[in-house]
Amino acid sequence: MIKFFRNIRQKLLSENKFSKYLIYAIGEIVLVVIGILIALQVNNLNDRRNIATNTKNNLITLSAELISNTEKLKFNIDVVNAQIRNSLNLIDSLNNNVDLDDKDLYLLDKIGNLGPLRLKSLTTTSLGDFINSGSYSAFLTGEIKNHLLVYNSEIQNVDFTLDRFEVYWKEIELPYLTKHFSILDMYTQSLSNSRGKANRLTENTILKSNKKYFTNDLEAFFNNREFASMYTARFAELRAVLNAMESLDISIDDLIKSINTNL
């Protein structure tokens, strides 16, 4: 094909037909430009097809990630609910003159069921891919985009409430317990209640589960306004965490339904 066009140019030049050569040259340029445009269009179509395929595959991966997070979130919500119940029960029992045979042991048992939140971490790798990649955005429906943004916002809200609770625990509750409560005896009490289950952390320990190391400052807990106020604050922080998690759970469900509808 190149040789064919070269022969035509040489023939026109040899016959001194400059005007025809000029028209031919312009036509050749137009053909080259058209060829380039067609190649670019084909390349763009291939790119769009590849991005669309990748977007679909990543939506499938995201859906699996969301389902996994739903199970983790269910566990976390159960943990927070249990902490709320235990907190309220402890506040009620310590401020209503409940008749107890051993108040010290009661404190060790009840406070031992509280402490910091130990939760399962959610996975957000696929979410980050969609949020940070502008190329995927053009291939997502408006519905999925909106649900993605809501989901991302709810995750941030959960993290915010968890950070607040951690600050409460480290700066308010833990210092109070360290001053008035025997964390060591709480630990050894948990060994006593473990019923001989193997635990690498407690094997060969010199701590004795049947020994009392310190007494708790009972006045700092029973009918104590400061402690009651502190645990009321704990309850408020836990409620904020629970509300955020429940909202996140709804946003995950909405996003999963949207993905399944549009795949």
Side-chain angles (χ1 to χ4, degrees):
M1 183 64 71
I2 295 176
K3 184 177 180 181
F4 173 74
F5 286 121
R6 185 186 298 116
N7 290 335
I8 293 178
R9 284 199 306 272
Q10 291 174 350
K11 182 178 180 181
L12 290 174
L13 288 173
S14 63
E15 294 176 357
N16 292 322
K17 296 180 179 180
F18 181 74
S19 60
K20 290 184 178 181
Y21 172 77
L22 184 61
I23 294 173
Y24 163 79
I26 293 173
E28 187 173 338
I29 292 172
V30 170
L31 286 176
V32 171
V33 170
I34 291 174
I36 292 174
L37 291 175
I38 291 174
L40 288 174
Q41 184 66 20
V42 171
N43 187 58
N44 287 337
L45 288 174
N46 287 334
D47 287 344
R48 290 179 64 84
R49 188 178 297 110
N50 290 335
I51 294 175
T53 300
N54 290 336
T55 301
K56 181 178 180 180
N57 292 335
N58 287 329
L59 281 174
I60 294 173
T61 302
L62 175 61
S63 181
E65 182 178 280
L66 292 170
I67 293 172
S68 174
N69 281 345
T70 298
E71 294 301 315
K72 295 176 183 176
L73 192 57
K74 181 180 182 302
F75 171 86
N76 292 346
I77 288 175
D78 288 342
V79 169
V80 175
N81 268 319
Q83 287 256 6
I84 289 175
R85 288 194 303 271
N86 292 337
S87 297
L88 292 177
N89 288 337
L90 187 58
I91 294 173
D92 181 66
S93 63
L94 298 188
N95 292 279
N96 282 291
N97 299 314
V98 176
D99 186 20
L100 300 170
D101 294 332
D102 190 333
K103 291 184 177 181
D104 219 44
L105 187 61
Y106 181 81
L107 278 180
L108 293 175
D109 179 52
K110 295 303 180 182
I111 294 181
N113 290 327
L114 295 167
L117 292 174
R118 305 190 185 282
L119 306 174
K120 292 184 178 180
S121 299
L122 302 186
T123 304
T124 58
T125 304
S126 295
L127 171 65
D129 289 342
F130 278 104
I131 295 296
N132 298 324
S133 176
S135 58
Y136 292 144
S137 179
F139 292 86
L140 298 176
T141 65
E143 180 185 8
I144 292 180
K145 287 180 184 178
N146 289 336
H147 286 309
L148 268 175
L149 293 175
V150 171
Y151 172 52
N152 185 53
S153 176
E154 296 294 352
I155 283 182
Q156 292 177 357
N157 190 36
V158 168
D159 289 341
F160 173 75
T161 58
L162 288 174
D163 288 342
R164 278 184 50 129
F165 181 81
E166 186 174 4
V167 169
Y168 156 82
W169 163 250
K170 289 182 177 180
E171 297 186 2
I172 299 176
E173 185 171 340
L174 183 57
Y176 189 92
L177 294 178
T178 301
K179 182 177 180 181
H180 301 289
F181 179 75
S182 177
I183 296 176
L184 175 60
D185 284 288
M186 180 189 71
Y187 176 71
T188 56
Q189 174 68 22
S190 68
L191 297 184
S192 177
N193 294 333
S194 65
R195 298 178 183 177
K197 293 181 180 178
N199 187 333
R200 288 183 301 170
L201 296 178
T202 60
E203 286 178 354
N204 302 319
T205 179
I206 63 172
L207 298 175
K208 305 300 182 182
S209 62
N210 59 349
K211 180 179 178 181
K212 194 76 170 71
Y213 288 90
F214 302 99
T215 58
N216 296 309
D217 180 5
L218 298 182
E219 291 184 357
F221 298 96
F222 287 88
N223 296 304
N224 184 288
R225 183 175 59 188
E226 183 180 358
F227 180 78
S229 296
M230 184 179 72
Y231 261 48
T232 301
R234 160 184 267 271
F235 165 74
E237 296 295 343
L238 288 172
R239 280 295 305 173
V241 172
L242 180 62
N243 290 337
M245 286 183 174
E246 289 176 341
S247 294
L248 175 58
D249 190 42
I250 293 173
S251 71
I252 291 177
D253 186 57
D254 290 340
L255 182 52
I256 290 175
K257 290 178 181 177
S258 181
I259 291 174
N260 291 338
T261 300
N262 289 278
L263 277 179

